């Protein structure tokens, strides 16, 4: 199940949903803002390790911090690949993408009209 025991801030009702229902609800809410959600995937956290070529540069950080940062970057890479695959499928490149963390908390409704290209 999603969140693996953590509670999503501001939306405790989401913890009661199955992964499939949660993906549907996220898509529904994104659509309500005027955006076009392409794919919402809820899956286990990917495991990544910090690359060895940066060992000296990252030496002051704990292994936990290194793994957390490497995993975050891996998630972004996987998401970018999904976007590129969808662009290739539809034959159009997106003008704008909104990247957000899965644990982000929005303090107000997202108004896409405030973003300009």
């Amino acid at each position: 199940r999603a969140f693996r025991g953590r509670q999503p801030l501001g939306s405790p009702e989401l913890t009661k949903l199955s992964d499939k229902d949660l993906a549907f609800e996220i898509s529904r809410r994104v659509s309500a803002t005027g955006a076009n959600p392409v794919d919402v995937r809820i899956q286990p956290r990917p495991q990544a390790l910090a690359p060895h070529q940066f060992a000296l540069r990252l030496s002051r950080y704990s292994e936990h911090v290194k793994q957390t940062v490497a995993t975050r970057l891996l998630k972004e890479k996987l998401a970018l690949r999904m976007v590129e695959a969808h662009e290739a499928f539809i034959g159009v490149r997106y003008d704008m993408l909104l990247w957000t963390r899965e644990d982000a908390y929005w303090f107000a409704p997202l108004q896409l009209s405030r973003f300009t290209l």
Side-chain angles (χ1 to χ4, degrees):
R1 289 196 36 107
F3 302 113
R4 296 173 300 285
R6 296 186 306 256
Q7 299 294 316
L9 297 175
S11 300
E13 73 276 6
L14 297 179
T15 61
K16 299 174 183 141
L17 300 176
S18 68
D19 289 353
K20 182 179 177 181
D21 290 339
L22 179 60
F24 176 80
E25 180 61 18
I26 291 169
S27 292
R28 187 192 69 74
R29 290 183 184 196
V30 170
S31 294
T33 69
N36 180 22
V38 173
D39 193 3
V40 176
R41 294 183 188 181
I42 299 173
Q43 55 196 32
R45 179 182 181 175
Q47 294 298 313
L49 298 174
H52 296 327
Q53 65 263 37
F54 299 114
L56 182 60
R57 187 172 179 188
L58 301 174
S59 63
R60 68 183 199 184
Y61 299 104
S62 70
E63 288 304 314
H64 175 74
V65 169
K66 290 178 199 177
Q67 183 173 0
T68 298
V69 171
T71 300
R72 178 67 195 148
L73 293 173
L74 176 58
K75 287 179 181 181
E76 289 183 13
K77 179 181 177 179
L78 295 172
L80 179 59
R81 286 184 179 163
M82 286 172 43
V83 168
E84 291 171 337
H86 190 262
E87 287 176 334
F89 178 74
I90 63 174
V92 176
R93 292 201 60 187
Y94 289 105
D95 294 323
M96 177 177 63
L97 294 169
L98 177 64
W99 297 71
T100 184
R101 289 176 47 120
E102 67 275 6
D103 60 352
Y105 182 80
W106 298 86
F107 292 98
L110 178 62
Q111 296 180 11
L112 292 176
S113 61
R114 293 187 177 178
F115 291 86
T116 60
L117 298 176

